Amino acid sequence: MATDYILETRELTKQFRGFTAVDKVSINVRRSSIHALIGPNGAGKTTFFNLLTKFLPPTSGSIVYNGHDITREKPAQTARRGVIRSFQISAVFPHLTVMENVRVALQRKLGTSFHFWKPESTLNHLNERAMELLTEVDLESFADTQTVELPYGRKRALEIATTLAVDPELMLLDEPTQGMGHEDVGRVVDLIRKVAKNRTVLMVEHNMSVIANLSDQITVLARGTVLAEGPYDVVSKNPLVLEAYVGSAEAEVT
Amino acid sequence: MSNRSKVLYIVLLLGALAAPFIGYPIFLMKVLCFALFACAFNLLIGFTGLLSFGHAMFFGGAAYLCAYAAKTWGFTPELAVLFGTVGAAILGYFVGWLAVRRQGIYFAMVSLALSQMIYFICVQAPFTGAEDGLQNVPRGKLFGLFSLADDTTMYYFVLAVFIFGFWLIYRTIHSPFGQVLKSIRENEPRALSLGYDVDKYKLVAFVISAGLAGMAGALKSLSLGLATLTDVSWQMSGEVVLMTLLGGMGTILGPVLGATSIIAMQNYLSSFGSWVTIIMGATFVVCVLAFRRGIVGEIAHRLKK
């Protein structure tokens, strides 16, 4: 069934001055699933993310989201369709409070974001919803803290709360557990599982236990092309995948 | 607004109302004009994260427009100022439309280059009076009724316009729009990924800033009675950067204090001749080394601790 897929790419390609970072990648992301994108460093995962979110224009190929061809759209346009990404380094607004971080995402749908003549207090009715979102990621006690003062793991949680605030249909997470300690990893995994209940998640991740734990479907990228695809049990036994990971993450795969 | 800042604003307002009885009105008007200019500039650098290096084109361009309208067409002062402001805002729209497509140093360079083009036009065009500029600009009668020839009366007109401009900037910073601007300043790709067309927001901020910089320039040409090439030169663009950094960019009162300090130095140290430039340069270096946040920024930071 064609409509089963929320996102499809067809032979998506990106070249940088002759170097092909993403080479004819065709993937299908099933609605309401957690789809992981893995591969060794330099496999083109982040470039692929940048193509999906329009931060980079593709050289060729197409992207179809919910039946619409979004290949030539602008980043903000695609975001407004409900495709929201996170970044490898935590993407927060450091000199706004934790509450303001979430509220800035909530206010877009009010349609008053160009109203420079209105006082900020017209946003106060969003505070309640912002607080709910902060509670979901255990940040309610930090609401009035300047974001720059949060520890790293908390910033990533805030980033997820901000992403949830725009109620995305498809969340693209770029290495959500990168640079985190053990407890934080556990917390983020729980969080992802919780938020994925009624939406689709596509994530790039290196931590194999996180992937084994969360993902329904895995696509392995190597040198810009799809190396293997399938559920964790199948992919982790694929000799090609093992070979691609030798010397890097072999221990984690087994 | 907290009670403490309310008290501060009331004190400042009373001070500004009493100022012409203590100080020299021409000097005070000059301070207010440059303070408004710096506040308008700060809306971009301090709250949107855009470093424009060509703001003199709005300040000086509007100074010429206003002076010409008042002198040649006999516009009343409020209309002449409005004319300059709207002219600067329209110029700001075209310049901004080109410049916001680039980031960082490229944005600064595009604004500088366009500003230099405006400077060249002002040198060549017949109506600007070239090297002489436009002199003896009449202040006229406010609404055609009240003569502004008296310096103290003129000061209150300038103060009223300044308060309007300052309020508009304050409002903009503390509005839903201002929240988006701050998020762009803090993390542009993230704001983009949340669905904000950041270029459009930057453009609106740029137009507001250009318009208000123009309002400051127009006021200046009326209160001092002249518009000259100095107003559109790149040194003027540099001066406003200096004022804003010295006072504290990203703070609301910083640019006011920065502008006051610089104008005061230029005025009271003028007996030192060209040494003023060196004294100002040294002050700036000390400021950058000792308190990076600027005067107001540093005070606010200490108070928070």
Side-chain angles (χ1 to χ4, degrees):
Chain A
M1 230 169 52
T3 49
D4 208 7
Y5 297 115
I6 186 167
L7 182 81
E8 298 165 67
T9 67
R10 299 196 190 111
E11 307 215 321
L12 199 59
T13 302
K14 179 67 189 177
Q15 291 174 327
F16 297 103
R17 297 170 192 242
F19 167 73
T20 309
V22 172
D23 193 4
K24 292 184 183 160
V25 172
S26 302
I27 67 162
N28 297 317
V29 179
R30 227 179 317 123
R31 194 179 297 281
S32 306
S33 69
I34 300 183
H35 194 126
L37 203 58
I38 66 169
N41 284 333
K45 302 177 301 273
T46 296
T47 307
F48 186 64
F49 254 44
N50 283 333
L51 293 175
L52 293 182
T53 48
K54 332 304 311 163
F55 278 63
L56 286 173
T59 312
S60 64
S62 65
I63 307 165
V64 176
Y65 172 73
N66 269 340
H68 299 281
D69 187 324
I70 60 163
T71 318
R72 301 284 156 210
E73 277 187 355
K74 286 189 176 147
Q77 235 174 332
T78 299
R80 286 197 294 268
R81 285 189 184 276
V83 183
I84 308 290
R85 69 174 298 178
S86 74
F87 293 83
Q88 229 173 63
I89 34 161
S90 74
V92 291
F93 304 119
H95 295 95
L96 299 183
T97 66
V98 169
M99 163 81 88
E100 284 173 326
N101 261 263
V102 178
R103 207 174 62 177
V104 121
L106 283 173
Q107 80 172 68
R108 201 193 72 213
K109 288 194 176 139
L110 286 184
T112 62
S113 291
F114 278 109
H115 295 187
F116 58 82
W117 55 88
K118 280 194 180 147
E120 219 167 45
S121 55
T122 57
L123 298 173
N124 283 349
H125 67 282
L126 298 173
N127 290 357
E128 200 182 324
R129 175 76 189 119
M131 211 58 189
E132 278 171 30
L133 287 160
L134 289 179
T135 312
E136 248 184 89
V137 298
D138 287 330
L139 283 175
E140 69 275 20
S141 54
F142 294 94
D144 295 323
T145 312
Q146 281 264 306
T147 305
V148 66
E149 287 159 22
L150 287 184
Y152 184 74
R154 298 278 189 184
K155 278 187 192 147
R156 307 259 21 193
L158 173 61
E159 195 186 336
I160 291 177
T162 308
T163 305
L164 288 177
V166 288
D167 199 18
E169 251 191 290
L170 172 63
M171 275 173 90
L172 304 176
L173 305 177
D174 198 354
E175 304 197 22
T177 68
Q178 190 213 31
M180 278 189 187
H182 256 297
E183 305 127 59
D184 281 342
V185 169
R187 191 175 331 151
V188 168
V189 167
D190 290 341
L191 197 57
I192 293 174
R193 186 175 296 122
K194 193 156 89 181
V195 303
K197 270 196 188 121
N198 37 24
R199 43 178 64 88
T200 315
V201 173
L202 175 63
M203 62 177 195
V204 167
E205 185 51 71
H206 279 302
N207 187 324
M208 286 299 163
S209 71
V210 171
I211 289 168
N213 223 323
L214 279 176
S215 49
D216 304 307
Q217 180 80 0
I218 297 172
T219 300
V220 188
L221 283 184
R223 297 206 193 93
T225 60
V226 177
L227 195 65
E229 219 167 2
Y232 181 76
D233 302 333
V234 178
V235 168
S236 60
K237 294 191 182 77
N238 186 321
L240 283 172
V241 176
L242 291 174
E243 195 190 306
Y245 268 91
V246 162
S248 56
E250 192 191 20
E252 281 178 302
V253 175
T254 47
Chain B
M1 206 192 287
S2 72
N3 281 335
R4 202 159 59 180
S5 36
K6 262 182 204 154
V7 172
L8 178 63
Y9 282 118
I10 290 170
V11 170
L12 286 175
L13 178 64
L14 293 177
L17 288 172
F21 299 105
I22 305 155
Y24 178 48
I26 296 275
F27 165 74
L28 293 169
M29 285 190 265
K30 199 174 170 193
V31 165
L32 285 179
C33 294
F34 279 92
L36 181 58
F37 184 27
C39 286
F41 175 77
N42 186 40
L43 179 66
L44 285 186
I45 191 163
F47 293 94
T48 320
L50 294 174
L51 169 59
S52 159
F53 212 82
H55 254 45
M57 73 179 125
F58 308 121
F59 183 82
Y64 277 118
L65 288 177
C66 172
Y68 192 81
K71 198 176 171 181
T72 315
W73 297 330
F75 273 34
T76 51
E78 73 286 351
L79 286 180
V81 169
L82 187 67
F83 182 64
T85 308
V86 171
I90 293 171
L91 178 61
Y93 178 81
F94 289 109
V95 171
W97 183 77
L98 279 170
V100 298
R101 288 149 198 267
R102 290 288 171 266
Q103 266 114 18
I105 188 74
Y106 301 103
F107 175 87
M109 288 300 115
V110 170
S111 61
L112 174 61
L114 292 169
S115 174
Q116 288 305 96
M117 283 165 62
I118 297 294
Y119 177 81
F120 183 75
I121 291 170
C122 291
V123 172
Q124 297 292 325
F127 59 84
T128 57
E131 296 293 331
D132 299 332
L134 294 173
Q135 296 183 6
N136 302 319
V137 180
R139 288 180 187 165
K141 288 181 173 173
L142 184 61
F143 305 118
L145 299 171
F146 312 103
S147 168
L148 295 177
D150 177 52
D151 284 344
T152 311
T153 320
M154 182 65 191
Y155 169 80
Y156 286 112
F157 173 65
V158 172
L159 181 63
V161 178
F162 170 82
I163 290 172
F164 168 75
F166 185 82
W167 170 82
L168 188 65
I169 290 166
Y170 183 89
R171 176 77 299 146
T172 304
I173 292 165
H174 295 102
S175 70
F177 176 69
Q179 282 288 313
V180 179
L181 289 189
K182 281 178 237 172
S183 74
I184 293 171
R185 173 194 70 189
E186 292 291 306
N187 192 336
E188 188 175 332
R190 181 54 169 167
L192 187 62
S193 81
L194 289 176
Y196 289 112
D197 285 309
V198 294
D199 286 356
K200 285 187 193 157
Y201 287 86
K202 287 181 185 174
L203 180 57
V204 173
F206 197 88
V207 172
I208 296 174
S209 173
L212 290 174
M215 190 186 272
L219 272 185
K220 191 234 102 184
S221 75
L222 278 191
S223 41
L224 303 188
L226 79 167
T228 64
L229 285 174
T230 318
D231 300 336
V232 271
S233 66
W234 64 268
Q235 288 94 333
M236 185 61 81
S237 298
E239 215 161 86
V240 75
V241 178
L242 195 69
M243 288 171 181
T244 309
L245 290 184
L246 184 67
M249 72 176 199
T251 64
I252 293 184
L253 284 172
V256 178
L257 193 63
T260 311
S261 325
I262 300 261
I263 300 294
M265 273 194 259
Q266 286 173 349
N267 233 45
Y268 292 110
L269 303 179
S270 56
S271 52
F272 291 99
S274 49
W275 281 94
V276 175
T277 324
I278 292 175
I279 298 171
M280 270 169 41
T283 316
F284 184 62
V285 170
V286 170
C287 170
V288 168
L289 291 178
F291 30 95
R292 253 181 326 112
R293 296 178 183 87
I295 303 168
V296 172
E298 202 66 33
I299 294 171
H301 184 70
R302 295 270 158 88
L303 284 178
K304 234 188 251 171
K305 268 198 207 159

